[in-house]
Amino acid sequence: MQTIPVDVGRLGALMCVVPPEPRVNKETGEVRKDRDGNTIYVVGISVRQRDNRRADVIEVAVPSEPRGIAEGTRVHVADLVAVAWEIDGRKGTSFRASAVTPDGVSAVGGVAPARAKSPGGEG
């Protein structure tokens, strides 16, 4: 699998559109864990491109339950990576991060770095 770091500073507005929930194995119903035994949570995040109205939704997996995130919350995503995968002839891209926090709050509990505002005033 190829892992590609994503520069979130170049993205437009990031907003939670699907609140965090544990990732579940669809076949067994078991909650998925990472190598360290932490429950993996997924968050649906809308990513609006800076220079136009187009938005996409990505599902971001994180190794612990994001706190203070609800539908409509602007968020900060720490250490976002895209992972190219292939299973049984199917290909895709998944996204992982070390944390998803409410915008203005860092993953270690401090203040997250401010993102530059777009010319339209949204950021």
Side-chain angles (χ1 to χ4, degrees), residues 102-116:
D103 202 16
V105 178
S106 76
V108 291
V111 176
R115 291 186 297 156

Side-chain angles (χ1 to χ4, degrees), residues 13-18 43-47 56-60 75 77 100:
L14 303 174
M15 182 180 295
C16 172
V17 292
V18 180
V43 184
I45 297 176
S46 172
V47 180
D56 294 298
V57 175
I58 60 172
E59 226 178 47
V60 178
V75 295
V77 181
V100 174

Side-chain angles (χ1 to χ4, degrees), residues 8 16 24 29-30 37 40 47 51 54 63 65 79 85 90 92 102 118:
V8 294
C16 172
V24 176
E30 291 182 53
I40 298 172
V47 180
D51 297 330
R54 181 181 165 92
E65 183 175 9
D79 306 318
W85 56 266
R90 297 179 308 142
S118 69

